[in-house]
Amino acid sequence: EGEDAKIAVRNLRRDANEHLKRLTKDKEISEDEERRATDEIQKMTDKAVVDIDKIIAEKEKEIMTV
């Protein structure tokens, strides 16, 4: 389940980055805005993966103590 959650987060990141590239191509946002948004998306992705890893570790610990 944890791995599926990580895959879902990465898929969302990919979709968001593709959307940003389309916006830049259509001249709706600047390249600087795209870069900042891409960096922010990466930070959110990293945080989500860390949170998922913590949940997995807690669940493993819980299962092992039972």
Side-chain angles (χ1 to χ4, degrees), residues 2-3 17 23 31-32 35 39 41 47 49 51-52 56:
E3 197 57 41
N17 287 338
L23 289 174
E31 289 181 9
D32 287 341
R35 197 170 313 111
D39 290 345
I41 290 167
K47 183 183 180 324
V49 169
D51 291 344
I52 292 167
I56 292 169

Side-chain angles (χ1 to χ4, degrees), residues 4-65:
D4 289 342
K6 289 183 200 180
I7 290 168
V9 168
R10 290 192 293 266
N11 287 340
L12 289 170
R13 176 189 60 196
R14 184 196 63 229
D15 294 345
N17 287 338
E18 287 174 1
H19 182 69
L20 287 171
K21 286 179 184 176
R22 260 185 270 123
L23 289 174
T24 303
K25 182 181 174 191
D26 295 341
K27 306 286 187 205
E28 293 184 36
I29 63 172
S30 70
E31 289 181 9
D32 287 341
E33 290 172 316
E34 177 192 7
R35 197 170 313 111
R36 278 191 290 274
T38 301
D39 290 345
E40 187 63 31
I41 290 167
Q42 185 60 49
K43 287 177 189 175
M44 289 188 292
T45 301
D46 293 342
K47 183 183 180 324
V49 169
V50 167
D51 291 344
I52 292 167
D53 285 339
K54 285 180 185 177
I55 292 168
I56 292 169
E58 289 171 11
K59 196 60 165 173
E60 285 176 349
K61 184 179 176 183
E62 179 185 321
I63 291 171
M64 294 302 214
T65 59

